[in-house]
């Protein structure tokens, strides 16, 4: 049984990986204060202690708006932390799966982005710091690392858009205004965890791969589907991003193509509506 060490094990994706993959792998979730990815000695001690076959690097600063006001911290965690993990994995010859994001793209074109499209970090500190982290992984450990981009993620316990919408639909609001001019691939952490488990069985795969669910939606479409599957009556009114200004600009297009999954002959990601249905059944008993 392969032994897999997680960074950011207390996060939403980390918790899901533990829940979904523990029957196939020995999963070792780590997080602060035990393992600090910005401290090489801390990461090195963890790999010496646990001797994993692979590392799934989930730890990151993902608060998009907070990254705008705390740029130095964002780059410390997302760039330097990724460089530290890559360097230690290289030192111990341990395979690395590094989680990244759609925010590495500008999100200003009509078609979805493939793994072969040029990324530049986009327009946010979060995207720029995550792209810098990708570059660090590619520079330091290209021979045995795989960068896995995800977006619009939701999972057990949240926080997520799914949990927020269900909380807001408490009967106290006649309508909910939800953005209609941003599109993406709503993606279940369950689906991502399963796919990461599949990728662990293919040690020869390196480079970049996209792991979002199939199909596209605007946030308002996503909200309507959540309420439909939950059996909740809630009026949803489409609005523009300009009506909800945020410190960090959101990409208008977060859609990612899964060309590499098809190229490698791997099973496709599920349709987003099907993945949502499974999640709602497990999380809310619907």
């Amino acid at each position: 049984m392969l032994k897999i060490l997680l960074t950011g094990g207390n996060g939403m994706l980390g918790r899901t990986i533990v829940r979904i993959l523990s029957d196939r792998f020995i999963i070792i979730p780590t997080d602060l204060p035990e393992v600090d990815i910005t401290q090489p000695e801390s990461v090195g001690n963890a790999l010496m202690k646990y001797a994993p076959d692979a590392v799934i690097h989930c730890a990151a600063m993902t608060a998009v708006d907070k990254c705008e006001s705390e740029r130095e911290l964002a780059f410390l965690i997302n760039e330097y932390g990724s460089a530290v993990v890559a360097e230690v994995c290289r030192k111990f010859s341990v395979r690395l799966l590094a989680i990244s994001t759609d925010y590495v793209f500008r999100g200003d074109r009509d078609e979805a982005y493939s793994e072969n499209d040029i990324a530049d970090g986009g327009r946010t500190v979060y995207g720029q710091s995550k792209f810098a982290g990708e570059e660090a992984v590619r520079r330091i450990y290209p021979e045995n690392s795989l960068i896995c981009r995800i977006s619009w993620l939701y999972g057990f316990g949240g926080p997520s858009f799914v949990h927020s919408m269900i909380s807001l639909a408490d009967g106290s609001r006649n309508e909910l205004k939800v953005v209609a001019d941003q599109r993406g691939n709503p993606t279940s952490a369950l689906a991502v965890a399963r796919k990461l488990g599949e990728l662990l069985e293919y040690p020869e795969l390196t480079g970049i791969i996209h792991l979002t669910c199939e199909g596209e939606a605007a946030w308002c479409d996503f909200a309507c589907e959540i309420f439909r599957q939950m059996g909740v009556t809630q009026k949803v009114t489409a609005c523009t991003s300009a009506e909800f200004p945020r410190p960090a600009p959101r990409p208008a297009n977060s859609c990612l193509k899964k060309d590499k999954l098809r190229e490698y002959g791997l099973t496709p990601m599920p349709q987003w509506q099907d993945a949502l249905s499974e999640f709602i059944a497990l999380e809310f008993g619907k």
Side-chain angles (χ1 to χ4, degrees):
M1 206 179 253
L2 290 177
K3 189 186 299 183
I4 313 301
L5 185 141
L6 308 181
T7 68
N10 293 338
M12 186 169 64
L13 180 56
R15 298 193 309 269
T16 304
I17 290 169
V18 172
R19 180 167 173 173
I20 296 301
L21 297 184
S22 289
D23 61 337
R24 294 174 53 198
F25 305 96
I26 300 170
I27 305 294
I28 304 161
T30 67
D31 214 311
L32 291 169
E34 179 190 10
V35 175
D36 182 346
I37 63 168
T38 68
Q39 300 295 324
E41 184 178 3
S42 177
V43 179
N45 286 343
L47 265 68
M48 285 191 289
K49 177 179 178 180
Y50 296 112
D53 299 291
V55 169
I56 301 179
H57 176 41
C58 300
M61 183 173 177
T62 59
V64 177
D65 291 326
K66 188 177 180 181
C67 287
E68 293 295 311
S69 59
E70 299 188 27
R71 179 183 179 90
E72 185 175 341
L73 180 61
F75 274 87
L76 175 66
I77 296 171
N78 294 340
E79 178 184 21
Y80 181 66
S82 295
V84 167
V85 172
E87 182 60 46
V88 174
C89 285
R90 186 194 63 78
K91 178 180 178 181
F92 288 93
S93 299
V94 171
R95 190 175 183 214
L96 172 59
L97 274 59
I99 305 301
S100 193
T101 173
D102 63 288
Y103 272 75
V104 300
F105 295 110
R106 299 189 67 82
D108 56 0
R109 72 179 198 181
D110 292 334
E111 65 266 32
Y113 291 90
S114 80
E115 293 91 343
N116 293 323
D117 286 321
I118 302 299
D120 63 2
R123 299 183 297 149
T124 67
V125 172
Y126 171 62
Q128 292 156 12
S129 62
K130 288 294 288 181
F131 178 66
E134 286 191 5
E135 292 283 271
V137 170
R138 284 193 287 266
R139 182 182 68 253
I140 294 167
Y141 201 30
E143 66 273 19
N144 201 12
S145 65
L146 184 63
I147 294 164
C148 307
R149 292 181 182 143
I150 58 177
S151 73
W152 287 31
L153 192 71
Y154 59 88
F156 296 120
S160 76
F161 182 79
V162 175
H163 293 86
S164 295
M165 288 297 103
I166 292 171
S167 177
L168 289 169
D170 59 2
S172 65
R173 298 165 180 84
N174 291 329
E175 68 172 7
L176 283 177
K177 288 188 174 184
V178 185
V179 170
D181 57 1
Q182 299 170 21
R183 298 189 64 79
N185 312 122
T187 297
S188 167
L190 281 161
V192 173
R194 291 192 185 107
K195 188 56 62 180
L196 290 170
E198 186 177 354
L199 292 172
L200 288 169
E201 305 287 357
Y202 292 85
E204 71 276 11
L205 301 183
T206 60
I208 300 170
I209 196 164
H210 291 170
L211 301 183
T212 55
C213 285
E214 293 288 353
E216 302 177 3
W219 287 115
C220 63
D221 302 324
F222 190 10
C224 289
E225 182 65 13
I226 292 166
F227 297 141
R228 187 190 71 79
Q229 293 196 18
M230 286 291 294
V232 171
T233 300
Q234 174 64 60
K235 181 180 179 181
V236 176
T237 302
C239 69
T240 66
S241 302
E243 294 179 64
F244 287 94
R246 307 288 291 275
R250 268 49 178 179
N253 177 14
S254 290
C255 301
L256 301 179
K257 294 179 184 177
K258 273 65 68 174
D259 290 345
K260 291 297 182 182
L261 285 179
R262 289 184 280 272
E263 180 183 322
Y264 296 147
L266 301 176
T267 57
M269 293 291 284
Q271 288 292 318
W272 74 264
Q273 297 94 332
D274 296 336
L276 177 64
S277 178
E278 179 194 21
F279 173 73
I280 284 177
L282 291 171
E283 181 82 330
F284 302 103
K286 296 291 184 178

